[in-house]
């Protein structure tokens, strides 16, 4: 009987240790994957659209309004930050 208890105790210790190690490895790997996804998301952000070429004065104002609407939509979607939106707006109107 003592040999049997010793074998069961040893098995329990080995299984507990294996579970703890497995959980720790899983947490570390999940953290690494999260960092990689963040880096890829930051690198994959598209650049802001270039301003349109100049047109006739009446068409120019309409074109600027359309571009401002597009920039606003991109900002609302999260493609542009507040600073990028302000910079593009300044270029467009300035």
């Amino acid at each position: 009987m003592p040999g049997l208890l010793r074998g069961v105790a040893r098995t329990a210790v080995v299984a507990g240790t294996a579970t703890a190690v497995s959980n720790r490895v899983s947490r570390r790997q999940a953290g690494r994957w999260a960092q990689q996804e963040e880096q890829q998301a930051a690198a994959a952000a598209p650049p802001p659209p270039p301003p349109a070429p100049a047109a006739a004065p009446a068409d120019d104002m309409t074109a600027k309004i359309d571009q401002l609407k597009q920039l606003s939509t991109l900002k609302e979607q999260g493609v542009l930050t507040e600073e990028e939106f302000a910079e593009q707006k300044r270029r467009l109107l300035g």
Side-chain angles (χ1 to χ4, degrees), residues 3 23 27 38 40-41 55 60 74 77-78 80 84-85 88:
N23 289 340
R27 282 192 302 271
E38 288 174 5
Q40 289 174 352
D60 190 38
L74 290 173
Q77 292 174 347
L80 293 177
E84 291 170 334
F85 174 75
Q88 291 297 324

Side-chain angles (χ1 to χ4, degrees), residues 58-73:
D59 291 336
D60 190 38
M61 184 56 87
T62 305
K64 286 182 181 183
I65 291 172
D66 289 340
Q67 287 178 343
L68 282 173
K69 287 179 183 177
Q70 289 175 345
L71 288 172
S72 176
T73 303

Side-chain angles (χ1 to χ4, degrees), residues 16-39:
T17 303
T19 301
V21 170
S22 175
N23 289 340
R24 186 173 37 216
V25 169
S26 295
R27 282 192 302 271
R28 284 183 185 170
Q29 189 64 38
R32 288 180 186 148
W33 287 343
Q35 285 177 344
Q36 287 176 352
E37 288 174 359
E38 288 174 5
Q39 290 172 352

